[in-house]
Each structure stands twice: as structure tokens, then as C-alpha cells.
Amino acid sequence: MREIRHCPICAGTDRDLVYPGTLDTSNIVGARTNPYCSHYQINRCRGCGLIFSSPIFEDADIAALYEKAPHGNVESGEEGNVKSTMRLYYELARPHLLQRDRLLDVGCDIGLMLEFARQDGFRELYGLEPNPIAREKAQAIPRAVVSERFYEEQEFPASSFDLITFIHVVDHLIDPSKAVERAFMHAKPGGLVVAVVHNVESMLARMTGERFPPFNLYHHYFFSERTLAALFESRGFETVSVGSTKNCYSLGFFARRAPGIPARLRFAIASGLDRVGIGGLPLTIPVGNIGIVARRPS
Ligand SMILES: [Zn+2]
């Protein structure tokens, strides 16, 4: 296990304990752990209030969590809703774009963001996606150049992107400040970054406490609107907007996951909705994600 010694926002080293870790570190190897069933020790930085995991696994064990992950972030039947959600994320940036020469989507999955940017007139589309099955789909998008590398390993010319997007990426990183510094270097002056993460101050987080679903082994950082903006501003960006984002789900999908209701009741409700034929109804709701649009000053 390794300590996160310095806060990526304020570089402070003092922290308070929020929740003790639930990992049995005496007999657990990263590769054998179900990442959703436990969390690391959760801490709050005394300098800036950032909530973060520490100590965390060594790099090889963190990589193993992803390598053994069953493929498919997208549940069958929900593809259309995932697409609608991604369109809403692209719409965060669209009104603020100055040009549409080059887009980079870090963690582009099957390429939905690349496709929306292409339809909106972007000339060059770059994606990074380590998962080979998702990457193959993204590569099929006309003009898309998709690499298997992690952002930290991929070189791009400085000042080249009009938009860089990180959808559910920043809170997974070991040191998000490095990625934000790279994005500052790679964005054009006047260029934008969009990042979407879970909101640790959402109603969902308040209702669920330590059982807040993002408290799991995939997440090293837990942002609020304030700390998300502070991260980008600490590396030179100006915040254009920061706030709750909406997700599109079917009514049945949401019912199966509604927090604070016992599982058996949730599934009974969901199958009831399906029986009366409304389980597939689309919902657009703020469920506890926040998005920032930040600009590299001209
Ligand atoms: Zn801090």
C-alpha cells in the first residue's frame, strides 16, 4: 500500500480521518478484490477540504483492478440513455467553444463524445482508451484517432486542442494534478476542458454516508463543486461553469438502483414497472454528478 502524501490541490500533508478503510489488507491482493465491495481509508485534507483515499494499492494492483474488470460499462437496454447523457456533457462545452479544430477525449470508451464532436464540426478527433473492445468501436468513427495509451504516456503538441474531455476519469487517477497540468499544456490558449466526476456533497452522498457508491477501490478522489474548481484553478485554468450534471436513465434502471431502499423491494418495484410497460420510460435527473467547464486563459 502507498500513502497519498501531498494533496493534489493545495499540496498540504495534514488530513483528518473521515472513514477507516474496509479492506482487510492482511490477506488481500488487488487483483483478487472486488473493487465495489470495499473502500480505502477516506480522508479530508485540512488545507482545502478535498476528500481522498489513502493509503491506496501499489500501481500494479491498481492496474489489475482494471485488467480483470468485466467488459462493458454500458448495461444492455441503456445504450440510448448513455448516449443522451454524453450529449448533455458535450452540451456543457458547446456554447463556450471558440474553434472546432481538435478534440481530445481521455478515456473515450466507445467514442460517443468523439461522435458528437464530429457531428458538431470538429475536424480532428483524438481519443485515449486502454480497453481494446471499447477502443475498436471508437476507432470506427470517421476521422477518429484512438490510442491505447494512458494520458500520462501519450505525447501531443502543446497548445493544440480546442476541447479536452475527462468523463469519469479525474477521480480515478493517482495524481489528478498531473493530468490537469498536461491538459493546460495541451489546450490552446482559450481552449476548454470538461471534467465530470461524482459529487461527494450530493443528496445521494448525504443519504448514503459511508455507503456512498463511489466510495470504492476505483476512486481515489471525491470532489465537490468547490474542490473540483479548486483543482483546475490551482493549475491555471479559469472556471467557466461548475455544477450538477444530469444523467439519462430508464425508469426501471433507476428503480433497480435507488438508494436507501432494500434490494428486494427495489427489484419488485422495477419488475412492476416493466409489467405495466413503463420500465423503459426515459428519465433525465441529477443523480450526483458534477461537471466543470474550465478555460485556459487566452
Ligand atoms: Zn488540500
Side-chain angles (χ1 to χ4, degrees):
M1 302 286 281
R2 59 187 279 183
E3 287 282 346
I4 303 289
R5 297 197 185 282
H6 296 278
C7 169
I9 296 175
C10 73
T13 54
D14 294 336
R15 71 277 313 264
D16 294 308
L17 174 66
V18 180
Y19 298 115
T22 58
L23 265 174
D24 176 3
T25 49
S26 62
N27 69 13
I28 275 180
V29 185
R32 283 192 230 131
T33 308
N34 180 338
Y36 292 107
C37 289
S38 46
H39 63 73
Y40 297 117
Q41 178 175 310
I42 310 288
N43 315 273
R44 181 186 288 105
C45 172
R46 277 190 201 163
C48 71
L50 178 65
I51 311 284
F52 63 100
S53 300
S54 179
I56 62 173
F57 287 147
E58 302 292 339
D59 291 6
D61 284 334
I62 291 171
L65 293 180
Y66 289 92
E67 281 154 16
K68 76 177 190 109
H71 175 65
N73 297 324
V74 180
E75 187 156 314
S76 72
E78 292 296 319
E79 295 87 350
N81 290 314
V82 170
K83 214 168 180 175
S84 305
T85 301
M86 194 62 79
R87 185 187 290 279
L88 293 175
Y89 294 157
Y90 182 73
E91 285 297 319
L92 294 176
R94 200 182 52 78
H96 306 289
L97 285 167
L98 302 180
Q99 293 172 294
R100 286 165 171 76
D101 292 328
R102 256 169 247 106
L103 164 93
L104 170 62
D105 186 21
V106 178
C108 68
D109 198 57
I110 61 172
L112 296 173
M113 183 68 82
L114 301 176
E115 178 59 22
F116 289 129
R118 188 184 73 83
Q119 290 171 8
D120 192 41
F122 266 90
R123 294 192 298 115
E124 295 180 34
L125 308 162
Y126 295 86
L128 300 177
E129 178 50 60
N131 182 305
I133 300 164
R135 189 172 61 245
E136 197 174 316
K137 288 193 179 170
Q139 280 164 336
I141 291 167
R143 300 203 301 273
V145 177
V146 184
S147 155
E148 80 280 11
R149 297 222 178 96
F150 289 101
Y151 187 39
E152 294 80 350
E153 304 162 348
Q154 177 71 48
E155 294 304 322
F156 291 108
S159 305
S160 52
F161 290 102
D162 302 288
L163 176 60
I164 302 176
T165 51
F166 297 92
I167 307 304
H168 289 295
V169 168
V170 173
D171 43 359
H172 293 239
L173 300 174
I174 295 169
D175 185 353
S177 67
K178 290 220 175 77
V180 174
E181 284 166 11
R182 284 178 77 76
F184 190 90
M185 178 177 73
H186 293 146
K188 287 181 185 174
L192 300 176
V193 169
V194 169
V196 173
V197 295
H198 300 284
N199 179 6
V200 75
E201 292 183 356
S202 61
M203 191 168 70
L204 175 66
R206 289 176 208 280
M207 283 168 64
T208 52
E210 189 177 356
R211 293 180 180 277
F212 181 44
F215 287 150
N216 63 51
L217 302 183
Y218 283 123
H219 294 111
H220 302 134
Y221 298 91
F222 309 93
F223 292 95
S224 64
E225 291 179 18
R226 191 183 60 76
T227 54
L228 184 61
L231 173 67
F232 281 87
E233 289 167 10
S234 74
R235 299 309 192 269
F237 283 97
E238 291 169 351
T239 299
V240 175
S241 69
V242 63
S244 296
T245 60
K246 293 192 172 107
N247 283 61
C248 304
Y249 293 117
S250 70
L251 187 55
F253 181 91
F254 187 69
R256 282 192 292 278
R257 279 162 185 74
I261 302 174
R264 276 169 60 189
L265 185 56
R266 279 188 272 123
F267 281 86
I269 293 169
S271 62
L273 293 170
D274 285 337
R275 265 202 307 282
V276 297
I278 59 170
L281 274 184
L283 293 178
T284 302
I285 39 176
V287 282
N289 293 325
I290 43 176
I292 186 170
V293 181
R295 191 187 300 281
R296 177 177 168 178
S298 300

